[in-house]
Amino acid sequence: MMEKPALDSSEERAWLGDNQSEVQLAAIPETAESNDEDRPAWDSKMQYVLAQVGFSVGLGNVWRFPYLCHQNGGGAFMILYVFLLLIVGVPLFFMELAAGQSIRQGSIGVWKHISPKLIGIGFSSCVVCFYVALYYNVIIAWSLFYLGNSFQYPLPWEQCPTDVTTNETVKECASSSPTPYFWFRKALDITNSIEESGEFNLIMTGCLLAAWAIVSLAMIKGIKSSARVMYFSSIFPYVVLFIFLIRGLLLDGAIDGITYMFYPKLEIWGNVQVWRQAATQVFFALGLGYGSVIAYSSYNPFHNNCHRDALMVSCINFMTSVLASLVVFVVLGFRAKTIALHCVAENLRVLTHMSSNGSSQYWWPPFTVTDPSSVSLPEYRQWYNEYGSMLGPQFTDCNLEEEMNK
């Protein structure tokens, strides 16, 4: 093959342009590297990874992903989520990492560098972060309130309080349950309608100020102080999740919950709404568009391998979603089986009453109706499926899957 001829001096000058010289082109990497000395940097790669993981992993993984997984077909939603994560999430996440790392500025500076007309995107991301910080700190305030009340014995949400004037259980709590009563009346102290402003909640205001104080202390020295906080704030949630998972796996019904979680209902792929929710979860989980990913990566060295970082953080993010889903579904499985076994006990109580009246039919169950603990859920369901059409309305099908759906 023939070698391409070299450009002559006139063609070379035309290619470089009127306002750009060979010296300027050669100086671009040097300028980028010189900025490394002007901008602060992470002390170690571990700090940077923990910062990215700590930002991307949050309520979207711990509660929103399990909720969507439960609502949209379990394992089928997970497969769809992984597919969209690979073709949409990881490339966009890498783009933000590369932009921040190469331009070495925050969200506003990066978009202004790309084009001055796009600076509004940077300001918009800052506004979004501000609003997110507002309601996230409110959630932290609620958590601090619950943490303080959890040191009481007995727990204030364990049983309904007593009215001091009548010395009776509070009627509103008795008609619902202690948990929602504590949440709505003690924590939120809500009014009956939006027109009523209510009284100033001094305790919750103090918790909110404490939440903002914690955030301020964590960020007072920039990445030098926030990076140290990351060692606790990014690792501690995983410790708690693993503790909950180990405890949950010991509960009766945990395997049923995990089976429900991973069983794929592929028919949901024909629903456009499921695709939209999966794509929204990808953006929400990785924190795309907030500008924080750009800001964190801007403190990296210019030649850092951001390809590997994008894949690593995305994988950690997804595995965290799976871990949190396991924790949620083992508890849901335990709760569903407890309700189903209680249903069996109620039906056996009716059978016991019929037995005391001398009732004995060919459809009578082969198991001992006087001992509900000896009757398993599959045994009862097998008997009910065989003779359920002959039984009266007082008998019900104690379906574990229906309880999981609820």
Side-chain angles (χ1 to χ4, degrees):
M1 295 179 67
M2 295 182 63
E3 237 180 83
K4 292 184 179 178
L7 292 171
D8 60 23
S9 57
S10 59
E11 289 177 329
E12 193 173 346
R13 283 194 297 270
W15 182 80
L16 289 174
D18 297 334
N19 299 320
Q20 193 173 34
S21 66
E22 290 178 87
V23 178
Q24 287 175 314
L25 286 175
I28 289 177
E30 296 177 5
T31 305
E33 290 179 3
S34 64
N35 289 338
D36 290 359
E37 302 176 359
D38 302 332
R39 190 168 180 83
W42 300 104
D43 291 339
S44 64
K45 186 62 176 285
M46 178 63 71
Q47 286 185 354
Y48 166 68
V49 172
L50 289 177
Q52 291 286 16
V53 170
F55 169 72
S56 61
V57 173
L59 292 179
N61 305 83
V62 176
W63 192 243
R64 194 172 187 273
F65 185 87
Y67 160 73
L68 293 175
C69 187
H70 179 274
Q71 187 184 36
N72 298 310
F77 180 81
M78 285 192 179
I79 298 173
L80 183 59
Y81 177 83
V82 172
F83 173 72
L84 293 176
L85 180 67
L86 292 176
I87 68 170
V88 179
V90 174
L92 289 176
F93 190 68
F94 165 71
M95 183 193 72
E96 292 198 9
L97 291 179
Q101 182 174 304
S102 59
I103 302 174
R104 298 190 58 77
Q105 296 186 47
S107 180
I108 298 175
V110 164
W111 288 107
K112 183 180 179 180
H113 181 88
I114 295 173
S115 174
K117 296 180 180 179
L118 300 179
I119 192 173
I121 300 178
F123 283 109
S124 300
S125 64
C126 291
V127 173
V128 171
C129 285
F130 173 72
Y131 284 126
V132 170
L134 287 180
Y135 77 78
Y136 261 56
N137 277 285
V138 171
I139 296 174
I140 295 174
W142 292 340
S143 303
L144 293 175
F145 179 78
Y146 270 92
L147 178 64
N149 281 274
S150 65
F151 288 98
Q152 300 182 33
Y153 183 81
L155 294 173
W157 52 82
E158 183 178 347
Q159 56 189 4
C160 290
T162 304
D163 193 340
V164 292
T165 57
T166 61
N167 202 23
E168 295 179 355
T169 303
V170 177
K171 294 182 179 179
E172 188 179 21
C173 179
S175 61
S176 57
S177 67
T179 303
Y181 179 82
F182 176 83
W183 167 242
F184 288 109
R185 293 304 181 207
K186 298 298 182 181
L188 297 183
D189 193 20
I190 66 170
T191 57
N192 295 323
S193 66
I194 196 172
E195 287 81 12
E196 302 177 33
S197 60
E199 299 178 356
F200 182 73
N201 194 328
L202 184 62
I203 298 178
M204 193 58 69
T205 304
C207 292
L208 183 59
L209 291 175
W212 277 105
I214 293 172
V215 173
S216 300
L217 291 173
M219 300 183 63
I220 195 169
K221 292 184 178 180
I223 63 170
K224 295 300 180 183
S225 57
S226 61
R228 294 184 178 91
V229 176
M230 295 295 177
Y231 285 108
F232 173 79
S233 62
S234 298
I235 296 176
F236 181 71
Y238 289 96
V239 176
V240 175
L241 284 175
F242 275 110
I243 292 174
F244 283 163
L245 179 61
I246 295 171
R247 179 65 184 93
L249 289 173
L250 300 177
L251 298 173
D252 186 24
I255 302 301
D256 299 296
I258 295 176
T259 304
Y260 185 91
M261 169 184 166
F262 284 105
Y263 182 78
K265 301 175 182 177
L266 301 180
E267 61 273 9
I268 61 102
W269 285 358
N271 189 348
V272 179
Q273 182 74 4
V274 177
W275 285 77
R276 185 190 66 82
Q277 290 183 344
T280 303
Q281 178 61 20
V282 169
F283 279 81
F284 191 80
L286 290 177
L288 300 173
Y290 288 95
S292 301
V293 174
I294 295 176
Y296 284 147
S297 63
S298 67
Y299 300 108
N300 272 337
F302 181 78
H303 295 291
N304 176 61
N305 189 345
C306 52
H307 298 83
R308 183 178 56 194
D309 294 343
L311 290 172
M312 178 173 58
V313 175
S314 299
C315 290
I316 293 174
N317 188 286
F318 172 68
M319 295 308 297
T320 304
S321 298
V322 174
L323 174 63
S325 298
L326 285 172
V327 173
V328 171
F329 274 87
V330 294
V331 176
L332 289 180
F334 164 71
R335 180 172 175 79
K337 190 165 186 179
T338 301
I339 295 174
L341 290 176
H342 179 72
C343 170
V344 172
E346 289 295 318
N347 285 277
L348 293 185
R349 184 178 59 81
V350 176
L351 285 172
T352 303
H353 180 70
M354 294 175 62
S355 176
S356 62
N357 293 337
S359 176
S360 178
Q361 302 292 336
Y362 68 93
W363 47 261
W364 196 259
F367 43 78
T368 307
V369 298
T370 56
D371 186 13
S373 60
S374 65
V375 181
S376 65
L377 193 57
E379 285 178 335
Y380 173 82
R381 294 212 62 219
Q382 182 181 1
W383 169 77
Y384 183 86
N385 291 333
E386 187 174 353
Y387 300 106
S389 59
M390 306 175 187
L391 305 175
Q394 67 270 32
F395 294 99
T396 56
D397 182 18
C398 304
N399 194 333
L400 179 63
E401 186 173 355
E402 287 184 1
E403 294 299 333
M404 284 294 299
N405 289 334
K406 295 178 184 178

